[in-house]
Amino acid sequence: MTGLQARLRADLLTARKARDKTATAVLRSTLAAIANSEALPVAETALSVDGPIAGAAVGVGATEAARRDLSDEEIRGIITGEQTERLSAATDLESHGAGEKAEQLRAEADLLAAYL
């Protein structure tokens, strides 16, 4: 885990303790996006037809999926993507008359800016 990822996790804990629903939701979704980016693609050769159930994992730790380690720069890229997505959605919502929801998304984007 990188320093930036550890900071996100620590801030999530702080937001949960403070019962800050907005910060908690934003940090959870950002950490989920990071976790998704850490996943390795499933290789065709990873599946085996040996044993009673095709592709079944056997043994201690056999179900653990390999993860890749992301650098702080890659994590910043993910955070930037999350921020851009929120700003784009806010613009769309505002053009459709949902100003309150647009403001909420902009506040979420501002929260993410602190990590960039």
Side-chain angles (χ1 to χ4, degrees), residues 55-76:
V58 179
V60 175
T63 59
E64 293 297 317
R67 312 290 283 172
R68 37 184 219 124
D69 292 326
L70 299 176
S71 67
D72 276 345
E73 192 60 36
E74 290 171 311
I75 291 174
R76 276 190 197 88

Side-chain angles (χ1 to χ4, degrees), residues 89-105:
T91 302
D92 289 346
L93 285 170
E94 198 165 54
S95 69
H96 293 340
E100 188 176 315
K101 182 63 177 167
E103 282 304 312
Q104 179 184 353
L105 287 172

Side-chain angles (χ1 to χ4, degrees), residues 4 8 29-38 68 70-86 112 116:
L4 185 54
L8 287 164
S29 68
T30 302
L31 285 166
I34 292 167
N36 286 342
S37 294
E38 289 175 332
R68 37 184 219 124
L70 299 176
S71 67
D72 276 345
E73 192 60 36
E74 290 171 311
I75 291 174
R76 276 190 197 88
I78 294 166
I79 294 170
T80 300
E82 291 286 306
Q83 182 186 36
T84 302
E85 191 175 303
R86 282 171 170 78
L112 289 173
L116 301 175

Side-chain angles (χ1 to χ4, degrees), residues 7-75:
R7 184 175 153 211
L8 287 164
R9 288 186 187 279
D11 289 351
L12 173 60
L13 181 59
T14 302
R16 288 183 63 207
K17 286 181 179 179
R19 299 184 189 267
D20 183 344
K21 291 180 182 182
T22 301
T24 298
V26 170
L27 293 170
R28 276 187 176 159
S29 68
T30 302
L31 285 166
I34 292 167
N36 286 342
S37 294
E38 289 175 332
L40 295 174
V42 177
E44 295 285 331
T45 58
L47 299 177
S48 142
V49 290
D50 297 337
I53 300 174
V58 179
V60 175
T63 59
E64 293 297 317
R67 312 290 283 172
R68 37 184 219 124
D69 292 326
L70 299 176
S71 67
D72 276 345
E73 192 60 36
E74 290 171 311
I75 291 174

